[in-house]
């Protein structure tokens, strides 16, 4: 076995030994944490060992996510993971424009809010009642977000600098918040809007929401993966690396950025609608909330911007941490302190995020291993791997 | 020979500076034409004007008789006009292979969303990387290449789009004599295969060695034009270089 695999195997056995007994504790928070850590460890292990790892890893992840509410059916446990999965979708979607293309939007909460208000208004105007049918209406939230994103993207991407893009996107968010406060006739202003509730009772209440969030997360990650492996996605990443050069080799940069922006709005709109349905009542300041954008960026940043796995990992770590912190301290605000500290730590220790840092370390370890082997074989020959790894 | 590229009376002003002051010349199909001139004579601005990175204030740029000065860089590239930049530029976080693959994909966005970068493209990209001797580095992030390797990658990236006209901005700038020789050989070889070249270069030995024609610029205008040995003896050229 290679040292890497041995390390991975060691980590899994250790994790199993410590964590399995904890998961038996059922719905306790320790059990939840244990479960999440266990799944992450297993995913990482498979990712490092298995060759055809992408499919298998995602399959394990999805199965674990489906099994989760069967193991932990308390309201707290399912709420925590509901938010985690919702943010997996949101951050993965944001990553299409923010990570792949490098255009950091700080205003994607606008789409979250648009989705939320869409479901509330549609349900209200059509006199819909709660139930599974409202999840279909949540899709309209995505449609609305996509439609609004067309003129917004057109404006935000007029100037070809990332700085102006960031500022314009923030401005949009606050513009929508102001509109939601002031268009009283439509939005009911600061009194907010109610979303009709289903008659699901007790611990079961969360379950449909949980699976809606899971489905959205799976589809969004699938969408991001599709884009990542397409010609279009390669164009986006070329723009991130050098926009002029990309144009110089035939990438229609404006259309690429614009399309990425509009696509990334849709899943976030749906997420906003699901959130609105889940929380039963929405206010301008809770759905057009700049904190949502900070959370998205921090999740993507923590995991590794521009990678597929990064936003998933970031959300799965950050959301449970935030929810548990709020649950235990009983006071709002500590999660903000956590965010601040985390942000500093990530910037200081691994500025490119968890996933790229780990991948780079592994690559270096492989190169060093190859060099050692080549050296052992022949003292005179120049090892090829050394030549490749040592460039620059 | 007919003109593949014709530049007619192009002017470009940046604030108070007139970088191009009515610049005219032509690049014959199948030729290697070099563009020389002292620093600040407008060579790079001219490159930008021809490739869509700067729209001329006045004048025409024609590719095979078609006006292209209002087109965006990607459209101009799709018409068969590729360029490199003065500072060597690669996509640092993409792999060497991906760098080349980007340039194979001048498809529409809708098409690009549907297609994966397929096996045939990969094969062609690898062939071109073989051609410039960096195929063994295909999986390495381009940012970790040496300067010379980046230059070769840049050329490979442009070549994959099968350009008719290649604009090279200082291909021999900052590379060692052996690689200068290699780059010169490649240019001649590609020219023999039918690619027309317009080369900006300061290395006079290099320019005189490869060019069929030399165009000399000073203060945003063309001051001399002709075969290398004629231009070399032109008093206006000597004055521009020594008296500038």
């Amino acid at each position: 076995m290679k040292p890497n695999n041995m390390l991975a195997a060691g980590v899994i056995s250790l994790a199993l030994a410590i964590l399995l007994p904890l998961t038996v504790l059922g719905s306790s928070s320790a059990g939840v944490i244990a479960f999440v850590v266990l799944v992450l460890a297993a995913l990482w292990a498979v990712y490092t060992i298995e060759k055809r790892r992408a499919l298998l890893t995602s399959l394990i992840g999805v199965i674990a996510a489906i099994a989760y509410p069967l193991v932990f059916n308390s309201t707290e446990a399912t709420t925590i993971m509901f938010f985690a999965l919702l943010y997996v979708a949101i951050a993965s979607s944001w990553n299409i424009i923010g990570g792949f293309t490098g255009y950091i939007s700080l205003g994607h909460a606008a789409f979250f809010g648009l989705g939320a208000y869409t479901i509330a208004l549609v349900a209200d105007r059509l006199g819909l009642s709660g139930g599974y049918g409202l999840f279909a209406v949540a899709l309209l939230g995505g449609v609305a977000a996509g439609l609004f994103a067309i003129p917004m993207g057109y404006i935000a991407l007029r100037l070809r600098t990332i700085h102006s893009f960031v500022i314009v996107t923030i401005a949009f968010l606050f513009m929508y918040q102001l509109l939601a406060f002031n268009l009283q006739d439509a939005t009911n202003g600061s009194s907010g809007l109610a979303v009709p509730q289903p008659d699901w009772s007790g611990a079961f209440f969360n379950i449909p929401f949980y699976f809606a969030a899971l489905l959205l997360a799976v589809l969004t990650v699938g969408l991001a993966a599709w884009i990542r492996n397409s010609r279009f996605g390669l164009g986006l990443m070329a723009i991130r690396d050098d926009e002029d050069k990309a144009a110089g080799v035939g990438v229609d940069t404006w259309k690429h950025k614009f399309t990425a922006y509009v696509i990334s709005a849709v899943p976030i709109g749906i997420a906003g609608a699901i959130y609105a349905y889940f929380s039963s009542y929405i206010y301008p300041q809770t759905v057009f909330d700049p904190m949502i954008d900070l959370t998205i960026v921090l999740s993507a940043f923590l995991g590794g911007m521009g990678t597929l796995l990064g936003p998933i990992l970031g959300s799965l770590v950050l959301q449970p941490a935030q929810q548990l912190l709020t649950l235990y301290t009983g006071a709002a605000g500590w999660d903000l302190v956590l965010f601040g500290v985390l942000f500093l730590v990530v910037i200081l220790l691994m500025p490119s995020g968890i996933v790229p840092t780990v991948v780079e370390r592994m690559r270096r370890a492989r190169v060093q291993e190859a060099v050692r082997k080549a050296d052992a074989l022949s003292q005179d020959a120049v090892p090829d791997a050394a030549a490749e790894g040592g460039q620059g | 020979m007919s003109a593949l590229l014709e530049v007619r009376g192009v002017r470009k002003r940046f604030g108070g500076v007139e970088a191009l002051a009515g610049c005219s010349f032509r690049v014959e199909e199948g030729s290697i034409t070099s563009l020389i001139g002292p620093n600040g004579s407008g060579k790079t601005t001219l490159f930008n004007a021809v490739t869509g990175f700067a729209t001329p204030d006045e004048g025409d740029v024609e590719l095979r008789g078609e006006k292209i000065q209002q087109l965006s860089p990607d459209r101009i590239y799709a018409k068969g006009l590729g360029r490199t930049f003065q500072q060597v530029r690669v996509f640092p976080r993409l792999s060497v292979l991906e760098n080349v693959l980007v340039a194979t994909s001048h498809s529409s966005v809708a098409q690009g969303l549907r297609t994966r970068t397929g096996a045939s493209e990969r094969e062609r990209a690898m062939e071109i990387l073989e051609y410039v001797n960096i195929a063994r580095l295909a999986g390495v992030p381009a940012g970790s290449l040496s300067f010379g390797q980046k230059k070769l990658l840049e050329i490979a990236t442009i070549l994959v789009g099968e350009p008719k006209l290649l604009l090279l901005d200082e291909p021999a700038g900052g590379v060692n004599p052996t690689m200068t020789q290699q780059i010169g050989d490649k240019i001649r070889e590609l020219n023999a295969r039918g690619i027309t070249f317009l080369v900006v270069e300061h290395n006079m030995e290099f320019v005189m060695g490869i060019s069929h024609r030399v165009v000399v610029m000073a203060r945003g205008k063309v001051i001399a034009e002709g075969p290398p040995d004629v231009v070399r003896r032109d008093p206006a050229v000597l004055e521009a270089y020594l008296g500038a």
Side-chain angles (χ1 to χ4, degrees):
Chain A
M1 245 204 271
K2 288 178 186 164
N4 255 333
N5 297 1
M6 271 171 64
L7 183 69
V11 170
I12 307 178
S13 334
L14 193 70
L16 279 174
I18 299 173
L19 299 172
L20 259 187
L22 279 175
T23 58
V24 186
L25 295 176
S27 288
S28 75
S29 310
V32 174
I33 298 173
F35 186 84
V36 172
V37 173
L38 194 64
V39 169
L40 289 178
L43 290 181
W44 181 64
V46 173
Y47 188 76
T48 47
I49 295 171
E50 185 56 40
K51 276 272 177 276
R52 268 181 295 163
R53 48 207 185 186
L55 254 179
L56 197 66
T57 344
S58 2
L59 203 66
I60 295 176
V62 172
I63 291 172
I66 292 173
Y68 176 86
L70 306 176
V71 183
F72 308 102
N73 51 15
S74 76
T75 307
E76 289 86 358
T78 43
T79 304
I80 290 171
M81 283 312 277
F82 163 75
F83 278 106
L85 290 170
L86 205 62
Y87 268 92
V88 167
I90 294 172
S92 294
S93 189
W94 176 89
N95 197 37
I96 295 170
I97 180 79
F100 294 170
T101 325
Y103 274 69
I104 310 286
S105 162
L106 289 181
H108 264 45
F111 302 123
F112 188 86
L114 283 167
Y117 270 93
T118 302
I119 194 173
L121 287 171
V122 169
D124 180 55
R125 297 294 190 272
L126 300 183
L128 301 175
S129 54
Y132 291 103
L134 269 195
F135 284 118
V137 179
L139 295 178
L140 286 182
V143 175
L147 288 178
F148 274 89
I150 292 170
M152 287 164 71
Y154 190 78
I155 296 167
L157 293 163
R158 286 311 290 168
L159 287 177
R160 235 211 55 191
T161 63
I162 293 177
H163 308 105
S164 65
F165 177 79
V166 175
I167 302 297
V168 172
T169 54
I170 298 177
F172 273 137
L173 171 60
F174 286 108
M175 200 185 82
Y176 281 111
Q177 199 191 72
L178 276 173
L179 285 174
F181 271 122
N182 291 304
L183 294 177
Q184 301 250 358
D185 292 339
T187 64
N188 209 18
S190 56
S191 318
L193 283 174
V195 182
Q197 288 300 286
D199 53 4
W200 307 322
S201 60
F204 178 76
F205 183 89
N206 276 356
I207 302 298
F209 290 104
Y210 176 89
F211 281 104
L214 175 59
L215 184 65
L216 182 65
V218 169
L219 291 178
T220 308
V221 171
L223 174 72
W226 177 272
I227 289 177
R228 177 78 169 67
N229 292 317
S230 71
R231 276 179 161 197
F232 171 71
L234 195 58
L236 295 182
M237 288 182 287
I239 291 171
R240 173 198 67 195
D241 274 13
D242 187 335
E243 194 165 341
D244 273 340
K245 162 111 184 163
V249 295
V251 177
D252 187 337
T253 52
W254 195 86
K255 272 190 197 151
H256 272 70
K257 289 184 290 184
F258 178 71
T259 311
Y261 182 81
V262 174
I263 289 176
S264 77
V266 176
I268 297 182
I270 301 174
I274 295 176
Y275 167 83
Y277 188 20
F278 177 79
S279 64
S280 81
Y281 218 92
I282 55 168
Y283 300 94
Q285 71 273 25
T286 57
V287 292
F288 291 114
D289 182 1
M291 266 309 290
I292 296 172
D293 279 303
L294 291 184
T295 312
I296 297 172
V297 175
L298 184 54
S299 304
F301 198 67
L302 177 69
M305 242 189 258
T307 63
L308 280 177
L309 210 57
I312 303 175
L313 193 69
S315 304
L316 287 181
V317 170
L318 216 57
Q319 280 307 311
Q322 188 190 11
Q323 297 289 334
L324 285 172
L325 212 65
T326 315
L327 203 65
Y328 279 120
T329 57
W334 279 107
D335 51 332
L336 296 180
V337 178
L338 168 82
F339 277 20
V341 172
L342 248 179
F343 212 55
L344 280 177
V345 171
V346 173
I347 286 177
L348 287 175
L349 296 183
M350 35 188 178
S352 54
I354 295 172
V355 174
T357 307
V358 171
V359 169
E360 176 60 22
R361 292 246 165 96
M362 276 164 43
R363 195 179 73 87
R364 266 191 225 156
R366 263 203 301 274
V367 170
Q368 275 165 8
E369 176 68 14
V371 172
R372 252 201 310 280
K373 269 187 196 150
D375 274 348
L377 278 173
S378 144
Q379 292 292 334
D380 337 302
V382 180
D384 206 33
E388 284 180 22
Q391 302 296 346
Chain B
M1 280 200 284
S2 62
L4 180 58
L5 179 76
E6 178 144 14
V7 174
R8 257 200 314 264
V10 168
R11 287 176 188 277
K12 180 75 190 175
R13 203 169 245 299
F14 295 108
V17 184
E18 190 162 43
L20 295 175
C23 185
S24 305
F25 69 93
R26 39 201 276 155
V27 177
E28 306 294 339
E29 181 135 29
S31 70
I32 299 176
T33 304
S34 285
L35 193 60
I36 63 170
N39 287 328
S41 58
K43 303 183 297 288
T44 295
T45 306
L46 183 71
F47 257 40
N48 288 339
V50 170
T51 50
F53 285 90
T55 313
D57 300 330
E58 258 178 64
D60 290 328
V61 180
E62 287 180 5
L63 188 68
R64 285 216 174 105
E66 183 191 355
K67 288 191 172 61
I68 57 168
Q69 70 266 22
Q70 298 297 334
L71 298 182
S72 58
D74 56 290
R75 300 278 300 281
I76 292 178
Y77 174 83
K79 292 201 176 295
L81 201 158
R83 77 170 290 184
T84 64
F85 292 87
Q86 190 175 359
Q87 259 84 37
V88 62
R89 280 163 96 160
V90 296
F91 301 114
R93 288 164 69 186
L94 301 186
S95 74
V96 168
L97 178 63
E98 282 171 330
N99 263 265
V100 180
L101 286 174
V102 170
T104 62
S105 55
H106 28 99
S107 52
S108 72
V109 165
Q111 224 179 333
L113 262 167
R114 271 180 276 132
T115 19
R116 298 176 148 237
T117 38
S120 62
E121 284 167 346
R122 267 163 211 276
E123 226 166 80
R124 218 158 68 74
M126 285 307 290
E127 269 169 32
I128 285 168
L129 288 175
E130 299 273 2
Y131 179 69
V132 295
N133 289 325
I134 50 172
R136 70 197 164 85
L137 301 171
V140 174
S144 64
L145 297 183
S146 74
F147 182 74
Q149 288 166 337
K150 280 183 187 160
K151 286 226 154 190
L152 292 173
L153 174 58
E154 219 182 5
I155 292 173
T157 307
I158 294 297
L159 278 182
V160 82
E162 293 177 348
K164 297 178 189 72
L165 173 61
L166 256 184
L167 276 67
L168 305 181
D169 203 343
E170 299 196 25
V175 298
N176 63 41
T178 321
M179 194 165 267
T180 305
Q181 176 78 37
Q182 267 184 35
I183 290 174
D185 289 346
K186 289 281 183 237
I187 292 176
R188 263 191 292 260
E189 216 175 292
L190 290 165
N191 180 243
R193 291 196 203 172
I195 298 178
T196 307
F197 281 89
L198 178 61
V199 180
V200 164
E201 187 50 66
H202 282 297
N203 182 336
M204 279 308 133
E205 202 185 325
F206 182 84
V207 167
M208 297 304 167
I210 65 163
S211 314
H212 301 126
R213 282 181 74 77
V214 177
V215 175
V216 188
M217 282 182 74
R219 294 184 205 90
K221 277 186 178 149
V222 173
I223 56 162
E225 204 175 342
D229 36 332
V230 175
V231 166
R232 204 201 304 255
R233 288 192 298 269
D234 192 317
V237 176
L238 291 174
E239 202 224 7
Y241 265 92
L242 302 174

